[in-house]
Amino acid sequence: MSVFICYRHTERLYAFILNERLKLEGIDTCLEMFDAESHQTTDDVCGIFQRNIVDCTHLVMVLGSHVPDAWWLPFGLGAATLLNRRVTLYQGGDLPADYLQRWPTLSNREHIDLFVRAYHDEQTFCRAIVADEQDGRQNNRANAEFFHIDLKAKIRRGF
């Protein structure tokens, strides 16, 4: 189980903090920057997402204040949802778009701790992603929904 962390250049500090925290917990990560300044083509971005979404079990998108301008955001969310990946957002403030309310949002160190606990709970309670067979897809979808609902509730409660 690995975590794919994607971010824009302006949010790199948050992405690096999150990445280091997850590594300290023994969680395998993949860190990728998407930004116009990096001269990535649409094909580059699509290829990076396709490779990493398939290889990961969790996606964390580090969001900034200009997120609705990033076309890759809904693209990545759609790809992750289609493959029943666990999606989490990381942002310090309010989410800029209503559709982003669907997924858990981390905004501080305590929320990262809750994410780490939820990640490890999936292994403990055998809710990790299984082979892509018909039953596996249904289980993966149910387990992904459980992850999202449970983590959102823990963040709301603070534990």
Side-chain angles (χ1 to χ4, degrees), residues 16-89:
F16 290 170
I17 290 169
L18 176 64
N19 187 52
E20 289 304 312
R21 174 69 174 91
L22 297 181
K23 284 184 173 183
L24 286 172
E25 290 292 332
I27 298 173
D28 198 22
T29 63
C30 174
L31 193 61
E32 290 283 354
M33 180 180 71
F34 299 110
D35 217 345
E37 290 80 29
S38 65
H39 304 290
Q40 293 169 319
T41 67
T42 302
D43 288 340
D44 293 338
V45 172
C46 290
I48 291 168
F49 261 114
Q50 289 171 341
R51 262 190 323 277
N52 290 307
I53 290 293
V54 168
D55 293 339
C56 78
T57 56
H58 295 69
L59 169 67
V60 178
M61 298 184 112
V62 181
L63 309 178
S65 57
H66 300 291
V67 168
D69 299 339
W71 68 267
W72 55 265
L73 175 65
F75 176 82
L77 291 171
T81 300
L82 184 64
L83 293 174
N84 300 310
R85 298 311 190 244
R86 283 65 169 152
V87 177
T88 307
L89 309 174

Side-chain angles (χ1 to χ4, degrees), residues 84 86 128-131 135-145:
N84 300 310
R86 283 65 169 152
I129 292 178
V130 295
D135 291 340
R137 279 183 276 174
Q138 291 172 348
N139 284 337
N140 289 339
R141 185 178 311 116
N143 289 337
E145 282 304 312

